[in-house]
Amino acid sequence: MAVASHLLLALISYLTLFSTLINAEISASVDVTSDGVDVSLSVGLPKGPVCKRPLGKQGRAKPSDPFWLEAIKHQGTAPYNPDPVNYKVFRNVKDYGAKGDGIHDDTEAIKWVIFWGKNHPFSWAHAFFPQSSHTRTRQMWSELPIFDVSLPLLVLYTHETDQIVQFRLSPAVIYFPAGTYRINAPIIPYYYSTLIGDPKNPPTLLADPSFNGSAVIDANPGYWINQKNFFRIIKNFVLDLRQIPAEWEATGIHWQVSQSTALRNIVVHMSTAPNTNHRGIFMENGSGGYMGDLVFNGGKYGLLVGNQQFTVRNLTINNAQTGIFAIWNWGWTFQGLNIRNCKIGIEILSESIGAEAIIDARIVDTPTFIQSTLPSNGTLHGSIVLNNVKLENVPVAVGVANGDVVLAGGSKTIASWGQGNIYRGENPKGEFIQSNLPHVHKASSLLDVSGRVVGRPQPTYETFTVDDFISVKDYGAKGDGVTDDTEALNKIFHQFADCKILYFDAGHYIVTDTVFIPAGTRMVGEAWSVIAGKGPKFQDQKKPRVVFQVGKPGDRGIVEISDIVFSTVGSAAGAVIVEWNVQEPIGEKGGAGMWDSHIRTGGVAGSQLEGPQCPRSGEGGIDNCFAAYLHLHITKHASAYLEATWVWLADHNLDNDGLSQITVYSGRGILSESQGPVWLIGTGSEHHAIYQYRFVNAKDHFMGLIQTESPYYQPSPAAPAPFFLNTSPKYPDPNPYDAAAPSAWALSVEKSREIFIFGAGLYSFFQSYAGECAGTRNCQAQIANIDRRSSVHLFSLSTVASEKQISVNGKGIVDQADNINGFVSTVTYWSSP
């Protein structure tokens, strides 16, 4: 027996050494029984290359090396496209005839690469809509020029709505290498597409003097419903309008969009002539949205914009006549605003503006920073909040077009100032002010070295070479919407975290058990690669189970997630889709974060939670239409920087007909118990049964702007149905407000400190799918609850159709009727007692 034991140990030692040499896995088990010793040995296949060194903060790419996205192998697929084998997700415009030499006209080549395909587009629609009832579709498509329809789009003209609707079946990445591309007509980024330039040398889109059209880039030439114009990104470009005559109404970007959209790292050059009529961005409506790291030089307007809500971070405007002309909104947040040498910094169309919230701004050599078109006359006429605004040679800080000065300027710093109705604690009586607000302390953990709220651009990895990346499809993951990729993904994360950047080729990756995303992970999707939990392990709401676990509790390290969609497939009543445990590295604020990544459930092909399964009528039943237990849980010791993240339960089909409402159920949106720091920059959480945003025992959070909608089906059933309230400390639920049939909380704060909310749009549009209550302003009784033990500062709150805007300990305090501001009701500032 002793000899056998020695031989066994020697054999295991030899195999262990062998497996190390060949980079394989070994496992051994020894069972002693009455019959002797049972030995089981297994040696796995080679694990692939082992990382020899951590990635580090910067790569080793030479200036002459191509941007990694240009060099990496492209094998992304669109599993639900009619022709997934031949459909191309990634397209380099130079592969389709664009020259980028600044001489040749590249318009048609770029339109062709966006269109991509040789078949008449109706043949693709016919695969889905072969019936003769779609003759108008056939007629419409035959009338459109070839570049106005595209496979990334798949449009359908419906008799019911007389609108063109869109499909998510064909994601696209349109890549522009360095160069100058001469353009004479609008470039249209279709639904579920990303236009991306080389960040090492951003390409220039040069508008030809003969340019004819709405904008160099037009996100909606009238094809799409503005509030449903989702999933578009444009990043890393220079737009040059200066060859267009100054007096022409020329626009860089027409950006009439909704949620899950972004503009990033863009510079727009315009004429500085006295008669210039150029505009950097024009936006007439929509329901956004995020944009950041933008520069506008010259023009009549840097931005001419109207949209329900938007978050803008790190915006610079130089030498424009008017930096920003705000034509309407319910609420916009500007974080990191820099205006230099403009006649007017921001002009506000008073009668149609809900709220403008500006934090961490520097205004230089500009006669008037903010100018309202009409005086307030002592009542709410457009809410304004200024926080940490530095003026240098700015005579008027806030004024009126008639010449009145509301707040004198000069060269000074405005710590905190407001125009509008303010409240404190449980006092239901508000006060209209045009004066200083209390100077609110912000946690140092939330601020950079200059004292501004941290803002972190999306990583582009331009200093890394293609050798620093691995494709998950090269290591066993399929992303075909069918194969179980759980084991493959867990192995990939385990093997390559902190050593390689993980490239998730476009696809739909299915997992059937928890996937662990370790600290050190950097992962990038391709046109919102989907990874989704499915199966019985996620179906019991009495036994919630995490689908994607980001770090273990107590883990510290970098995490960067970009262009990914986390989701579920089929009934998933127990799915906690993302559990965020990781804490940023010491000295790297915002080092654990997500950008342009969403947690989206239902309403899309492959979700098995569309109209055919879960129609609006509820005929699909409840058990078959559970989408998730909780979408995002930020745990106690985690930190998180989330920018342009949409936590959305579908209220309608994105695919199929693109319009029909559906009835699916998610219990909860975002739960944070983090001790901070947490930044939620341009986030939304919509349609969850119990709450959209909830903070319990949380600390040191900055949010701006947050946006919510209550479930359209409520109160049939009323909150919390069809979920049970959880009374355990694991996922603490709030009680619904006291009413016969309550709807979900948009915001719930309990036992939390230093919660700083700089812009919030909390909306309730329906009662049991009927929209009349929005007109009578009574879709639900309460919408935001903060307990007495919490310390909260809430700026620029706009609500829709909630009778009480703010509640304390479940009792409604602030009455919307006292704060009517157009369609919304607006509170300029509320603070805890």
Side-chain angles (χ1 to χ4, degrees):
M1 185 72 175
V3 173
S5 298
H6 286 299
L7 289 173
L8 175 61
L9 289 173
L11 177 61
I12 293 175
S13 297
Y14 172 78
L15 288 174
T16 301
L17 175 62
F18 176 73
S19 69
T20 301
L21 292 174
I22 69 169
N23 189 28
E25 294 179 325
I26 181 172
S27 62
S29 63
V30 180
D31 292 322
V32 180
T33 68
S34 58
D35 297 324
V37 180
D38 183 20
V39 180
S40 175
L41 294 171
S42 66
V43 179
L45 293 175
K47 296 180 289 184
V50 172
C51 300
K52 297 180 180 179
R53 60 179 176 84
L55 273 173
K57 296 180 183 179
Q58 297 292 323
R60 300 180 181 182
K62 300 174 183 178
S64 58
D65 288 338
F67 179 46
W68 65 266
L69 185 63
E70 190 172 339
I72 200 169
K73 178 173 62 174
H74 291 284
Q75 47 194 341
T77 57
Y80 306 106
N81 183 270
D83 186 9
V85 174
N86 295 310
Y87 180 80
K88 292 183 180 180
V89 175
F90 178 86
R91 301 158 219 168
N92 184 324
V93 296
K94 287 192 174 181
D95 291 340
Y96 290 76
K99 302 296 184 183
D101 58 9
I103 299 171
H104 291 85
D105 185 345
D106 285 325
T107 310
E108 294 306 316
I110 293 170
K111 288 177 176 177
W112 176 248
V113 67
I114 294 174
F115 166 67
W116 187 74
K118 296 181 180 179
N119 296 326
H120 191 283
F122 178 72
S123 65
W124 296 89
H126 189 72
F128 288 92
F129 307 105
Q131 303 303 317
S132 60
S133 61
H134 295 288
T135 54
R136 175 57 187 143
T137 304
R138 210 175 271 110
Q139 176 188 348
M140 180 199 71
W141 280 28
S142 66
E143 293 169 355
L144 288 174
I146 191 169
F147 52 78
D148 280 344
V149 289
S150 110
L151 295 184
L153 172 65
L154 286 181
V155 293
L156 167 67
Y157 191 95
T158 66
H159 296 288
E160 292 78 9
T161 63
D162 233 30
Q163 294 284 342
I164 299 175
V165 297
Q166 54 200 358
F167 295 82
R168 192 195 55 87
L169 303 179
S170 306
V173 173
I174 313 300
Y175 175 68
F176 290 71
T180 298
Y181 300 84
R182 185 170 290 276
I183 305 297
N184 68 20
I187 302 302
I188 302 169
Y190 288 109
Y191 183 61
Y192 228 74
S193 64
T194 297
L195 271 59
I196 179 170
D198 178 356
K200 299 178 69 172
N201 298 286
T204 296
L205 301 181
L206 177 63
D208 191 80
S210 65
F211 184 88
N212 182 23
S214 54
V216 174
I217 298 176
D218 190 347
N220 191 358
Y223 297 168
W224 303 294
I225 300 170
N226 64 83
Q227 299 97 331
K228 301 181 185 296
N229 205 17
F230 307 121
F231 289 104
R232 285 168 175 80
I233 294 178
I234 301 171
K235 54 187 175 183
N236 311 327
F237 284 94
V238 175
L239 278 62
D240 194 339
L241 311 183
R242 290 174 294 185
Q243 291 191 7
I244 299 177
E247 65 274 14
W248 288 17
E249 190 178 82
T251 301
I253 302 173
H254 176 218
W255 199 238
Q256 187 194 39
V257 295
S258 192
Q259 293 90 344
S260 61
T261 59
L263 298 175
R264 295 183 179 275
N265 190 27
I266 296 172
V267 177
V268 181
H269 297 298
M270 296 168 281
S271 169
T272 56
N275 65 336
T276 181
N277 205 18
H278 293 181
R279 311 177 297 190
I281 292 178
F282 174 55
M283 180 191 309
E284 65 272 49
N285 51 33
S287 180
Y290 169 86
M291 50 187 167
D293 303 310
L294 309 176
V295 177
F296 298 89
N297 297 315
K300 183 176 183 179
Y301 304 110
L303 284 73
L304 175 61
V305 289
N307 194 292
Q308 288 179 12
Q309 67 283 317
F310 237 92
T311 301
V312 186
R313 188 190 58 74
N314 191 25
L315 170 65
T316 297
I317 304 172
N318 302 309
N319 305 311
Q321 293 184 2
T322 298
I324 302 167
F325 187 13
I327 55 177
W328 83 274
N329 69 43
W330 295 347
W332 277 54
T333 292
F334 293 89
Q335 176 193 343
L337 174 63
N338 304 283
I339 295 176
R340 181 182 291 272
N341 197 32
C342 297
K343 294 179 180 178
I344 299 172
I346 302 176
E347 185 170 7
I348 292 175
L349 193 61
S350 304
E351 59 267 36
S352 55
I353 292 298
E356 300 281 355
I358 301 156
I359 189 169
D360 297 337
R362 185 181 180 212
I363 316 302
V364 180
D365 296 334
T366 297
T368 300
F369 174 30
I370 295 178
Q371 176 176 287
S372 299
T373 56
L374 297 173
S376 66
N377 294 324
T379 59
L380 182 61
H381 227 333
S383 172
I384 300 172
V385 173
L386 307 179
N387 190 281
N388 189 31
V389 174
K390 184 177 182 180
L391 307 179
E392 299 175 32
N393 189 27
V394 179
V396 177
V398 180
V400 184
N402 64 9
D404 291 348
V405 176
V406 178
L407 176 64
S411 295
K412 64 180 184 181
T413 297
I414 302 169
S416 190
W417 185 92
Q419 171 180 289
N421 296 341
I422 67 170
Y423 292 80
R424 183 170 177 82
E426 298 179 60
N427 186 349
K429 298 294 184 182
E431 175 189 7
F432 176 81
I433 67 162
Q434 289 176 309
S435 62
N436 291 332
L437 294 169
H439 182 58
V440 176
H441 169 76
K442 306 182 194 80
S444 60
S445 64
L446 296 168
L447 307 180
D448 62 20
V449 293
S450 67
R452 290 183 163 203
V453 175
V454 167
R456 186 160 177 236
Q458 181 182 39
T460 57
Y461 308 115
E462 71 273 15
T463 66
F464 292 88
T465 70
V466 69
D467 292 334
D468 294 316
F469 289 75
I470 65 106
S471 163
V472 298
K473 288 191 175 180
D474 282 340
Y475 287 85
K478 300 298 183 183
D480 57 11
V482 178
T483 302
D484 183 353
D485 285 322
T486 311
E487 182 178 359
L489 292 180
N490 271 322
K491 285 184 177 180
I492 289 166
F493 281 118
H494 174 72
Q495 183 175 353
F496 292 110
D498 203 31
C499 298
K500 295 287 185 180
I501 301 167
L502 309 185
Y503 187 58
F504 274 73
D505 313 86
H508 196 140
Y509 300 83
I510 301 298
V511 302
T512 57
D513 203 350
T514 302
V515 169
F516 177 55
I517 302 175
T521 295
R522 304 177 195 188
M523 54 190 289
V524 182
E526 183 181 35
W528 299 283
S529 306
V530 177
I531 49 179
K534 176 184 180 181
K537 290 185 178 180
F538 305 122
Q539 291 179 346
D540 187 351
Q541 68 165 299
K542 295 181 180 179
K543 297 178 181 178
R545 188 174 183 88
V546 173
V547 185
F548 302 100
Q549 185 181 47
V550 183
K552 302 286 187 183
D555 282 357
R556 184 185 289 272
I558 195 166
V559 168
E560 295 172 346
I561 301 174
S562 295
D563 304 318
I564 295 286
V565 168
F566 297 97
S567 191
T568 58
V569 173
S571 183
V576 178
I577 299 178
V578 177
E579 179 183 274
W580 191 278
N581 297 300
V582 70
Q583 189 175 39
E584 65 195 22
I586 295 173
E588 295 187 40
K589 293 188 176 183
M594 293 201 302
W595 295 260
D596 293 330
S597 294
H598 311 291
I599 307 173
R600 182 199 66 207
T601 49
V604 299
S607 70
Q608 299 176 17
L609 297 171
E610 295 183 271
Q613 297 88 19
C614 304
R616 167 181 156 168
S617 65
E619 292 176 359
I622 291 176
D623 290 344
N624 294 328
C625 297
F626 279 119
Y629 181 88
L630 167 63
H631 274 55
L632 173 62
H633 183 202
I634 307 173
T635 60
K636 181 177 180 179
H637 298 294
S639 69
Y641 182 94
L642 307 184
E643 185 175 274
T645 294
W646 192 29
V647 180
W648 189 64
L649 173 71
D651 62 278
H652 67 281
N653 288 321
L654 288 182
D655 298 333
N656 203 324
D657 66 2
L659 286 174
S660 295
Q661 290 179 318
I662 61 176
T663 298
V664 292
Y665 305 98
S666 160
R668 302 146 185 91
I670 300 173
L671 168 63
S672 179
E673 301 176 276
S674 168
Q675 297 301 289
V678 170
W679 300 266
L680 302 179
I681 311 295
T683 65
S685 181
E686 300 185 280
H687 312 140
H688 311 286
I690 302 173
Y691 58 79
Q692 316 310 319
Y693 289 86
R694 177 154 165 81
F695 307 94
V696 181
N697 293 310
K699 184 175 179 287
D700 295 0
H701 284 49
F702 174 84
M703 289 164 270
L705 180 146
I706 63 171
Q707 181 257 323
T708 74
E709 288 182 6
S710 299
Y712 295 0
Y713 62 78
Q714 285 182 339
S716 302
F723 290 85
F724 308 110
L725 285 180
N726 182 27
T727 57
S728 75
K730 179 67 173 178
Y731 303 109
D733 281 333
N735 290 318
Y737 57 82
D738 186 14
S743 292
W745 290 113
L747 174 66
S748 171
V749 184
E750 185 178 326
K751 295 180 287 187
S752 298
R753 310 294 298 175
E754 303 300 327
I755 307 299
F756 193 96
I757 303 174
F758 204 75
L762 313 180
Y763 312 142
S764 186
F765 294 117
F766 297 93
Q767 284 184 337
S768 306
Y769 288 110
E772 292 80 5
C773 61
T776 53
R777 300 179 181 266
N778 63 345
C779 293
Q780 64 186 79
Q782 301 181 48
I783 202 163
N785 185 54
I786 300 162
D787 76 347
R788 293 191 184 101
R789 293 171 288 182
S790 293
S791 170
V792 176
H793 300 278
L794 178 52
F795 298 84
S796 294
L797 167 67
S798 290
T799 64
V800 171
S802 175
E803 296 175 10
K804 297 294 183 181
Q805 295 180 269
I806 299 172
S807 303
V808 176
N809 272 36
K811 178 183 178 183
I813 300 297
V814 178
D815 196 319
Q816 68 165 357
D818 297 330
N819 302 296
I820 291 175
N821 189 16
F823 186 72
V824 297
S825 294
T826 302
V827 172
T828 297
Y829 175 62
W830 179 91
S831 66
S832 301

